[in-house]
């Protein structure tokens, strides 16, 4: 039995000259994902049984990016137009419904594609072009109708002044029965302004040959093709706004949906608040009732419930547990785990740290390759010196309920027992047992009457720095 679903020919061989970029157009990221990856994912979710991707410019790079998605590649040796691109996908071996779609349409959505395919399959149409009516049709193929029925698609470069006024455009998406495609595709010629084989010509050729041809109206977003950097930015903005709307629909408070940059995969629980300027990337998960303040950046993180991420914090591949507070301006680096109700304050950087429940590092601190026990207080200006002259990293282990005075350095490897007290300004080089006090700093020397009574602020004291 034949596999269920439709076949797809996805056109992605063009260079995208108007992008003025060395990267193939279809690899430009839109809200964190290459355009082509988005299109393939949506086509598959819509029920495609086979996706044939036509590659040309930069094909090795494109292949590398989309190979894991389970698609078949065809090469278009020379970019001689969209009609020629479809020919390169060997449509002779296809049967059933064929969806042809440009690779530069990052706003396509599976649901809408699915609806279009089922409309097509329930009809007696042979060939369908999906259209949209747009405010500014510049650069796009125009849908020419006569008595309401489609007659042809005319490319802007070949269009008369009158035709250019038409605002119904070709989306670059077509549905066609395989045998109809096989009949009319070879008839496309390259007699036009650009000397290219336009796939769009299949409409008038089909009509001349007696095929049942239809123009099927769809949304403007489906029809939105990216040809320039400005259009790429428009598409990116649209994807972020779409995500913000979905978050709001699920109960997330988004202060300004035009100014948050949350990627598709991100999950956020209800009642959480997202302030403007926040970027959340990858497979980040955020729980309920969190507050993510302006300019926070989170990538691949797991954040519990009721967590507060304050202004300007940068958090990557880290875990922050329930009711913890991070920032403002904190930097959590990979393999860091912040315990429940813990507090990481301003200008604190943590890397590969297991930071215990209710532990605190409130100001100006670097902790790397460390374990910090529950209820421990790390004073301002503490540093774990984890990187040694042998270029290896060493660990600092600090127990529970330890008090670390300000301006302390731990020369790793070093272990501090539970309940120990480290005096401010210490440079700790040796292990400290539980409940002990460690002081490791120069003793204070005080020299009385050092400055003559009569001296003014500008007078130089004698012998400064020469005391023994
Ligand atoms: C095309 C349509 C236009 C439509 C618009 C919608 C044609 C002739 N024009 O114009 O009617 O309104 O899309 O976005 O079809 N490609 C190849 N090989 C080639 C040329 C292009 O694979 O030789 C691929 C490109 O990589 C791209 C897609 O086909 O993904 C469309 O090409 P593009 O140059 O962007 O066509 P448009 O000028 O946008
Ligand atoms: Mg295009």
């Amino acid at each position: 039995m034949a596999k269920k679903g439709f076949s797809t020919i996805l056109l992605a061989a063009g260079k995208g000259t108007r992008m003025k970029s060395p990267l193939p157009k279809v690899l430009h990221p839109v809200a964190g994902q290459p355009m082509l990856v988005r299109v393939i994912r949506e086509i598959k979710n819509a029920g495609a049984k086979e996706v044939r991707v036509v590659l040309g410019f930069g094909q090795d790079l494109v292949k590398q990016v989309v190979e894991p998605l389970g698609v078949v590649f065809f090469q278009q040796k020379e970019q001689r137009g969209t009609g020629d691109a479809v020919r390169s996908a060997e449509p002779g071996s296809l049967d059933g419904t064929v969806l042809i779609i440009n690779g530069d349409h990052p706003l396509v959505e599976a649901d809408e594609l699915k609806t279009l395919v089922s409309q097509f399959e329930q009809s007696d149409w042979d060939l369908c072009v999906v259209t949209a009516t747009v405010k500014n049709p510049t650069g796009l193929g125009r849908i020419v109708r006569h008595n309401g029925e489609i007659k042809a698609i005319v490319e802007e470069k070949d269009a008369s002044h009158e035709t250019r006024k038409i605002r119904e455009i070709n989306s670059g998406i077509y549905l066609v029965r395989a045998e109809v495609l096989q009949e009319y595709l070879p008839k496309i010629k390259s007699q036009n302004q650009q000397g290219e084989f336009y796939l769009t010509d299949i409409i008038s050729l089909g009509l001349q040959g007696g095929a049942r041809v239809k123009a099927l109206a769809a949304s403007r977003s489906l029809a939105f093709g990216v040809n320039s950097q400005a259009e790429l930015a428009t598409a990116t903005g649209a994807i972020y706004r779409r995500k913000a709307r979905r978050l709001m629909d699920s109960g997330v408070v988004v202060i300004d949906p035009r100014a948050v940059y949350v990627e598709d995969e991100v999950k956020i629980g209800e009642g959480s608040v997202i302030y403007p300027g926040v970027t959340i990337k990858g497979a980040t998960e955020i729980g309920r009732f969190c507050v993510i303040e302006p300019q926070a950046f989170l990538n691949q993180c797991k954040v519990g419930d009721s967590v507060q991420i304050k202004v300007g914090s940068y958090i990557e591949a880290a875990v922050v547990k329930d009711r913890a507070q991070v920032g403002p301006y904190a930097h959590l680096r990979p393999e860091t785990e912040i315990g429940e109700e813990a507090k990481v304050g301003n200008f604190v950087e943590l890397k590969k740290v297991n930071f215990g429940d209710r532990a605190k590092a409130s100001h100006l601190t670097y902790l790397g390759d460390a374990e910090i026990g529950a209820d421990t207080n790390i004073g301002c200006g503490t540093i774990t010196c984890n990187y040694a002259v042998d270029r290896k990293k060493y660990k600092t282990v600090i127990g529970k309920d330890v008090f670390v005075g300000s301006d302390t350095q731990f020369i790793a490897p070093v272990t501090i027992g539970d309940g120990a007290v480290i005096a401010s300004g210490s440079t700790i080089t040796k292990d400290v047992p539980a409940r002990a006090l460690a002081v490791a700093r120069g003793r204070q020397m005080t020299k009385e009457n050092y400055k003559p009574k009569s001296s003014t602020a500008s007078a130089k004291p004698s012998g400064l720095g020469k005391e023994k």
Side-chain angles (χ1 to χ4, degrees):
M1 211 177 80
K3 234 171 138 186
K4 265 187 75 175
F6 57 91
S7 302
T8 302
I9 298 176
L10 180 50
L11 308 185
K15 178 171 191 284
T17 313
R18 289 164 281 178
M19 297 298 283
K20 301 198 174 136
S21 153
L23 192 68
K25 173 164 75 177
V26 291
L27 290 189
H28 282 76
V30 176
Q33 269 176 349
M35 238 189 267
L36 192 58
V37 170
R38 289 186 172 276
V39 179
I40 292 172
R41 190 189 58 206
E42 297 302 314
I43 292 169
K44 290 211 147 193
N45 288 343
K49 62 176 174 185
E50 184 190 9
V51 182
R52 298 186 174 189
V53 185
V54 181
L55 298 180
F57 180 79
Q59 57 179 318
D60 293 340
L61 202 59
V62 182
K63 256 188 203 168
Q64 257 182 39
V65 174
V66 297
E67 200 140 43
L69 303 176
V71 292
V72 196
F73 297 111
F74 291 84
Q75 189 190 2
Q76 185 192 19
K77 293 204 173 67
E78 251 181 277
Q79 277 74 71
R80 296 193 297 162
T82 45
D84 181 65
V86 174
R87 275 183 211 163
S88 316
E90 299 173 14
S93 60
L94 293 172
D95 55 21
T97 302
V98 182
L99 167 75
I100 302 172
I101 183 168
N102 291 350
D104 58 356
H105 285 249
L107 303 185
V108 295
E109 283 188 287
D111 285 350
E112 197 173 5
L113 284 178
K114 224 182 195 166
T115 310
L116 290 168
V117 171
S118 73
Q119 255 178 297
F120 179 76
E121 288 184 337
Q122 282 160 27
S123 73
D124 61 354
W125 305 326
D126 292 320
L127 166 62
C128 228
V129 54
V130 177
T131 74
T133 301
V134 298
K135 280 194 204 119
N136 177 12
T138 310
L140 297 165
R142 309 297 206 280
I143 304 297
V144 177
R145 289 179 183 263
H146 184 66
N147 291 335
E149 295 300 324
I150 183 164
K151 284 289 156 242
I153 302 173
V154 179
E155 289 306 297
E156 165 129 338
K157 287 198 175 108
D158 304 295
S160 65
H161 184 66
E162 276 310 298
T163 306
R164 285 188 187 193
K165 286 186 187 158
I166 299 173
R167 291 193 300 119
E168 187 183 11
I169 56 97
N170 167 23
S171 70
I173 299 171
Y174 315 79
L175 285 155
V176 56
R177 296 188 199 288
E179 59 281 12
V180 175
L181 180 64
Q182 286 148 9
E183 185 179 345
Y184 293 103
L185 192 63
K187 297 189 172 147
I188 294 178
K189 301 210 165 55
S190 59
Q191 280 139 357
N192 49 51
Q193 270 291 323
Q194 306 206 79
E196 284 189 357
F197 293 91
Y198 289 166
L199 177 60
T200 46
D201 287 349
I202 200 169
I203 301 296
S204 47
L205 290 168
L207 285 167
Q208 282 160 26
R212 286 173 298 255
V213 180
K214 267 275 169 194
L216 198 54
S219 73
R220 264 190 271 171
S221 65
L222 187 82
F224 188 81
V226 170
N227 296 307
S228 63
Q229 296 292 344
E231 284 164 352
L232 180 69
T234 304
T236 301
I239 296 269
Y240 282 135
R241 282 196 301 279
R242 191 188 272 175
K243 177 68 177 180
R245 209 172 314 123
R246 285 184 184 151
L247 290 171
M248 291 188 286
D249 288 345
S250 69
V252 175
V253 182
V254 179
I255 305 288
D256 182 355
R258 292 161 306 174
V260 295
Y261 311 99
V262 182
E263 289 181 4
D264 289 340
E265 270 186 275
V266 173
K267 293 193 181 120
I268 305 179
E270 62 200 35
S272 284
V273 183
I274 312 296
Y275 274 87
V278 166
T279 300
I280 310 178
K281 293 171 75 69
T284 295
E285 280 181 37
I286 295 175
R288 305 160 71 205
F289 307 113
C290 293
V291 178
I292 316 293
E293 291 187 358
Q295 311 302 337
F297 181 101
L298 290 89
N299 187 13
Q300 302 284 8
C301 297
K302 193 161 174 7
V303 175
D305 293 333
S306 304
V307 168
Q308 197 176 357
I309 308 287
K310 297 185 192 173
V311 173
S313 295
Y314 188 100
I315 308 182
E316 200 166 13
V319 174
V320 183
K321 294 193 171 166
D322 296 352
R323 298 180 300 286
Q325 289 180 39
V326 175
Y329 307 106
H331 186 184
L332 305 186
R333 292 170 52 197
E335 294 180 59
T336 291
E337 191 171 310
I338 307 298
E340 289 182 12
E341 290 174 46
K343 188 178 168 215
V344 174
N346 44 198
F347 307 109
V348 175
E349 175 181 345
L350 270 66
K351 189 219 70 178
K352 260 194 181 181
V353 177
N354 211 329
F355 199 74
D357 293 346
R358 298 172 303 280
K360 283 184 185 161
S362 299
H363 338 262
L364 299 154
T365 286
Y366 171 70
L367 303 174
D369 302 281
E371 270 177 42
I372 312 294
D375 299 295
T376 283
N377 185 70
I378 305 288
C380 174
T382 296
I383 299 168
T384 56
C385 306
N386 55 338
Y387 186 53
V389 70
D390 60 4
R391 294 169 190 259
K392 289 190 183 135
K393 298 278 175 69
Y394 293 94
K395 221 174 155 180
T396 300
V397 178
I398 300 178
K400 294 182 203 146
D401 202 21
V402 171
F403 181 91
V404 178
S406 298
D407 191 24
T408 294
Q409 300 107 61
F410 292 100
I411 313 295
V414 69
T415 298
I416 313 298
D418 294 348
V421 174
I422 311 295
S424 289
S426 291
T427 299
I428 300 294
T429 53
K430 294 183 213 143
D431 290 355
V432 179
R435 295 183 309 284
L437 164 71
V439 187
R441 63 185 180 215
R443 279 177 185 276
Q444 181 169 336
M445 185 273 298
T446 305
K447 196 174 177 197
E448 306 234 352
N449 297 322
Y450 176 67
K451 209 167 161 187
K453 252 190 189 148
S454 59
S455 81
T456 61
S458 61
K460 263 192 188 166
S462 61
L464 184 68
K466 286 187 180 161
E467 312 306 323
K468 289 256 159 61

